[in-house]
Amino acid sequence: EAGVTQSPTHLIKTRGQQATLRCSPISGHTSVYWYQQALGLGLQFLLWYDEGEERNRGNFPPRFSGRQFPNYSSELNVNALELEDSALYLCASSHRWSSYEQYFGPGTRLTVT
Amino acid sequence: SQQGEEDPQALSIQEGENATMNCSYKTSINNLQWYRQNSGRGLVHLILIRSNEREKHSGRLRVTLDTSKKSSSLLITASRAADTASYFCATSSGDKLTFGTGTRLAVRP
């Protein structure tokens, strides 16, 4: 069974640009979660999507947004990039009723210069 | 804000020794999990302990949970160099999974 995949592995952007990160969940999982992990810090919950809807959102500004497609894959968009957005962005997936049992992808390292 | 706080923040031990990490949390939980993260990569699920359990084992891992003290510990026995990683606890309450700040474990060969 294929795990959670994320692309790209690395992304370098300049301040003010937009970044798009992608995630494909494990087959059969309908929920996708996005987390931000700044250097040396723990994971901060960003967004949760299930069945195409945004179910929960962490304490992040509106320039962090995303969507989930009919095949349950997801995109995270970060607009008007700031230097402090540089981080590892992790995607996880789960079954809808097992949100505590999340499986993580390898992450996308976003660097904003 | 982080629900869990791991202690210590960093730990360095010799191969073969045991490593103990602690996690404290603030609110009531359904379950608690421990994850491992190798150097800036994705998280690997290690073990889940439910709120009505006190201790759980998986291979060289032993997890305890004390809901009265709102704390958990992860013990790795007979550590190996390959155990070098960051370890995070994550608490589940409802639909949300909240991670602690992590313990960086270094196992010296």
Side-chain angles (χ1 to χ4, degrees), chain A residues 37 43-44 48 100 102 105, chain B residues 2 33 35 37 42 88 92 95:
Chain A
Q37 186 180 28
L43 278 75
Q44 301 283 344
W48 170 29
Y100 58 87
Q102 297 180 20
Chain B
Q2 297 291 339
Q33 303 176 69
Y35 285 82
Q37 183 180 37
F88 294 88
S92 173
D95 287 330

Side-chain angles (χ1 to χ4, degrees), chain A residues 24-42:
Chain A
S24 291
I26 289 173
S27 177
H29 286 184
T30 62
S31 284
V32 171
Y33 311 81
W34 288 96
Y35 295 87
Q36 182 196 64
Q37 186 180 28
L39 189 64
L41 299 180

Side-chain angles (χ1 to χ4, degrees), chain A:
Chain A
E1 179 183 273
V4 177
T5 59
Q6 291 186 246
S7 64
T9 304
H10 294 92
L11 189 57
I12 300 174
K13 294 284 187 179
T14 55
R15 196 168 46 184
Q17 285 187 317
Q18 179 198 39
T20 298
L21 289 64
R22 296 179 177 84
C23 171
S24 291
I26 289 173
S27 177
H29 286 184
T30 62
S31 284
V32 171
Y33 311 81
W34 288 96
Y35 295 87
Q36 182 196 64
Q37 186 180 28
L39 189 64
L41 299 180
L43 278 75
Q44 301 283 344
F45 169 72
L46 263 167
L47 290 159
W48 170 29
Y49 291 96
D50 182 75
E51 297 284 358
E53 305 260 341
E54 182 180 301
R55 301 293 182 181
N56 202 352
R57 182 182 182 87
N59 189 24
F60 280 84
R63 57 191 187 82
F64 287 84
S65 65
R67 53 180 172 166
Q68 186 178 34
F69 300 99
N71 66 354
Y72 304 116
S73 67
S74 176
E75 264 181 12
L76 173 69
N77 296 294
V78 187
N79 294 319
L81 285 165
E82 300 178 2
L83 294 178
E84 53 264 33
D85 296 333
S86 294
L88 181 68
Y89 289 84
L90 292 164
C91 171
S93 74
S94 78
H95 291 291
R96 170 61 179 94
W97 302 111
S98 302
S99 58
Y100 58 87
E101 196 169 350
Q102 297 180 20
Y103 295 83
F104 283 79
T108 292
R109 172 74 63 186
L110 173 64
T111 302
V112 183
T113 61

Side-chain angles (χ1 to χ4, degrees), chain B residues 8-77:
Chain B
Q9 290 188 336
L11 181 61
S12 179
I13 59 173
Q14 199 71 36
E15 202 165 28
E17 293 180 336
N18 296 341
T20 300
M21 291 158 255
N22 303 296
C23 168
S24 60
Y25 57 92
K26 298 187 177 100
T27 63
S28 60
I29 60 173
N30 298 329
N31 57 64
L32 184 144
Q33 303 176 69
W34 285 90
Y35 285 82
R36 186 183 75 209
Q37 183 180 37
N38 290 357
S39 188
R41 298 169 72 176
L43 273 70
V44 174
H45 182 264
L46 293 176
I47 195 165
L48 178 151
I49 186 166
R50 300 188 189 281
S51 59
N52 61 353
E53 296 175 309
R54 292 296 167 258
E55 187 171 314
K56 202 159 183 182
H57 296 255
S58 176
R60 294 185 295 114
L61 306 180
R62 172 179 169 252
V63 169
T64 61
L65 179 64
D66 187 334
T67 52
S68 66
K69 295 181 180 177
K70 292 187 168 57
S71 67
S72 173
S73 68
L74 170 67
L75 168 67
I76 304 174
T77 60

